[in-house]
Amino acid sequence: MTIKLLLLRGAPLLIRPLAIALEGMLVPGQNIMVLAIPVAMLALTLSSIPVHLSYYQSTGGTEPAKAREYASGLTIVITSTFLLLAMILTFLDGQMGSLLVSATCMVFLIEKFSDESSRMLEFRKAFRSWFLVQLMRSGWMIVPVGLYLCGADYGVAFLVSAVVVAAVSALVFVNVTGVMFEVGRSGLDIIRRRLIFLAASFLPASYRQIPRIMITRLFPDYAHVYLATAQLAQAAALLFNVRFQIPYRKAIARKTILVQRLRHKVMMRILAVPAIVAPLWLAGGLFVLPHEMPDAGLAALLLPLLIADAVTFAVLAAHMDYLQWMRKEARLLRTYVLNGALMAILLLLLRLLVTGAHVSIFVIIPPFVLLGVTWVLTIDRVNFSSPYSRPRLDRNGTYTPPLR
């Protein structure tokens, strides 16, 4: 089952780096993918308020009231995020024209609908259907490149393809989840109750997407090589998720503390690898000059660091997932504030470094890897290690909240 699942998960993983590489090689002077994808993925996290939790925890996900709550909350979240993204890109980002803004918004819709459909299919363990959704999610990006080679304008081809796939993704979402788009008071109520969990999605995703946005803006000549290699490095995160996360979604949702305790030691051992790799690459990055290297050499040098980055993100996302299932909203604030403060400090230091000197691409990535490691240790310390914050699980699996 694990090998089959790995194959189903692994095949779509190769498509997106392939599409990015094809754009870099076959469409001269165009950076639509490397500019649109990181921004759309960051917007995806802004829409990641977990309005689905009650619906998934209901009996078989079939309770009509929970379904309406989920549908209404999701409709409000998607609509508001779409409008916010369009306004920010139009008025605050001078590097994006109207076509690129529209394409980025469509990529966001594709990612959001595909993400919701994939979550439900994972929850049901319908991995073949999940595979097809992922093929569509990434495979469509090759189509605009093919249309360009046939003589079409690349920007227009990308936008039209994105609009069509966004519409298809919405239909797939409705078919998979069984809910229709609607707006109601229940949606506003569930957003209000779950809003604190936005940090659980935004913090790890900002850890992933902010360096990608920085690098595509600071080092446009290396953008395609870097982003394609980063997507390829997700194979490491795939191995982690197939082994520790995907087959146990229901167990994580219902016996979160037990799963965390069983996985804790092995996750800390895994995290030791990026904790060693990142400082080594940071030190070496002070002496490496990427502009003197061929693309293949740069990709080979980036790959170990980006694998460490992917593994860190996988462990971090798993711990954030534990928090959203097991803790009450008010008790998450300290964890999120600490991690947000660490992110702010790192961004300030990098801003001073970038404005004060010419920096290498290898100086940007390792600090984020170390930040992710620190975040995981902070989550563990605040939520699992302290004698006053350690949850208790009796022999019947009953969860007792931490002492205050």
Side-chain angles (χ1 to χ4, degrees):
M1 178 63 181
T2 301
I3 299 298
K4 180 180 178 181
L5 179 58
L6 186 62
L7 292 174
L8 288 174
R9 299 282 297 202
L13 189 67
L14 301 175
I15 297 177
R16 187 161 296 188
L18 174 63
I20 294 170
L22 288 175
E23 182 189 62
M25 293 185 296
L26 302 178
V27 190
Q30 291 288 349
N31 290 326
I32 292 180
M33 289 189 197
V34 296
L35 290 173
I37 292 175
V39 175
M41 295 302 293
L42 192 59
L44 178 64
T45 66
L46 289 174
S47 69
S48 296
I49 300 172
V51 295
H52 64 279
L53 294 181
S54 298
Y55 179 58
Y56 279 44
Q57 289 176 324
S58 63
T59 306
T62 57
E63 295 182 14
K66 299 297 183 183
R68 287 193 299 271
E69 180 184 75
Y70 171 46
S72 178
L74 188 65
T75 302
I76 295 171
V77 166
I78 291 176
T79 303
S80 58
T81 306
F82 180 88
L83 294 174
L84 180 63
L85 175 63
M87 287 190 296
I88 290 175
L89 294 182
T90 300
F91 297 110
L92 298 182
D93 194 332
Q95 295 188 33
M96 287 192 168
S98 58
L99 188 146
L100 187 53
V101 169
S102 301
T104 303
C105 292
M106 289 300 108
V107 173
F108 158 70
L109 291 180
I110 294 169
E111 294 295 329
K112 182 59 180 177
F113 290 131
S114 300
D115 197 53
E116 294 293 329
S117 300
S118 299
R119 183 188 293 115
M120 176 61 77
L121 293 170
E122 278 188 355
F123 198 77
R124 294 173 179 170
K125 296 189 176 181
F127 297 122
R128 287 191 180 89
S129 298
W130 180 96
F131 174 76
L132 295 176
V133 170
Q134 295 302 312
L135 280 181
M136 178 183 67
R137 184 177 188 171
S138 296
W140 73 270
M141 294 181 182
I142 298 177
V143 175
V145 178
L147 293 175
Y148 169 79
L149 295 177
C150 294
D153 180 90
Y154 179 67
V156 174
F158 191 94
L159 178 58
V160 172
S161 300
V163 170
V164 172
V165 177
V168 174
S169 300
L171 294 175
V172 171
F173 162 77
V174 171
N175 182 63
V176 168
T177 62
V179 301
M180 293 295 295
F181 300 106
E182 61 179 83
V183 177
R185 185 177 181 82
S186 62
L188 294 173
D189 291 339
I190 191 64
I191 290 172
R192 177 181 54 80
R193 296 199 306 270
R194 304 295 187 190
L195 190 60
I196 185 65
F197 289 116
L198 179 60
S201 300
F202 183 75
L203 286 173
S206 62
Y207 157 83
R208 168 59 52 83
Q209 301 304 330
I210 286 178
R212 293 184 177 183
I213 294 172
M214 289 177 64
I215 288 171
T216 56
R217 301 298 177 94
L218 293 173
F219 309 102
D221 293 340
Y222 315 134
H224 286 94
V225 174
Y226 162 72
L227 199 56
T229 307
Q231 294 287 340
L232 193 61
Q234 294 307 304
L238 169 64
L239 291 172
F240 176 90
N241 288 327
V242 168
R243 177 64 181 86
F244 298 112
Q245 291 293 105
I246 296 169
Y248 309 104
R249 293 295 189 195
K250 287 187 178 180
I252 291 170
R254 295 167 184 171
K255 301 288 183 181
T256 310
I257 304 300
L258 181 60
V259 173
Q260 189 278 333
R261 287 182 175 179
L262 292 173
R263 302 299 189 205
H264 176 70
K265 287 185 178 180
V266 67
M267 286 194 182
M268 291 300 106
R269 293 193 188 105
I270 291 172
L271 205 63
V273 176
I276 294 172
V277 170
L280 293 177
W281 258 250
L282 179 60
L286 300 174
F287 306 100
V288 174
L289 299 176
H291 63 274
E292 297 180 356
M293 303 174 62
D295 289 348
L298 178 60
L301 196 57
L302 281 171
L303 187 59
L305 179 60
L306 293 174
I307 289 175
D309 171 71
V311 169
T312 304
F313 179 80
V315 177
L316 175 62
H319 280 74
M320 288 293 194
D321 192 39
Y322 295 154
L323 291 183
Q324 81 172 6
W325 286 112
M326 76 176 223
R327 302 299 300 269
K328 293 184 178 180
E329 290 87 335
R331 292 174 182 163
L332 295 170
L333 186 59
R334 181 169 56 160
T335 300
Y336 296 155
V337 167
L338 285 172
N339 286 344
L342 291 172
M343 166 67 87
I345 292 170
L346 175 59
L347 291 177
L348 178 60
L349 292 175
L350 286 177
R351 181 173 180 82
L352 294 174
L353 180 64
V354 168
T355 56
H358 179 72
V359 296
S360 166
I361 189 174
F362 294 100
V363 178
I364 301 293
I365 305 170
F368 281 94
V369 178
L370 295 175
L371 175 69
V373 173
T374 305
W375 277 359
V376 175
L377 297 178
T378 300
I379 292 170
D380 181 68
R381 176 63 183 171
V382 172
N383 298 279
F384 300 107
S385 299
S386 170
Y388 295 102
S389 62
R390 184 182 296 117
R392 289 169 291 169
L393 193 71
D394 65 22
R395 66 182 62 185
N396 297 319
T398 302
Y399 167 62
T400 302
L403 299 174
R404 300 301 295 170

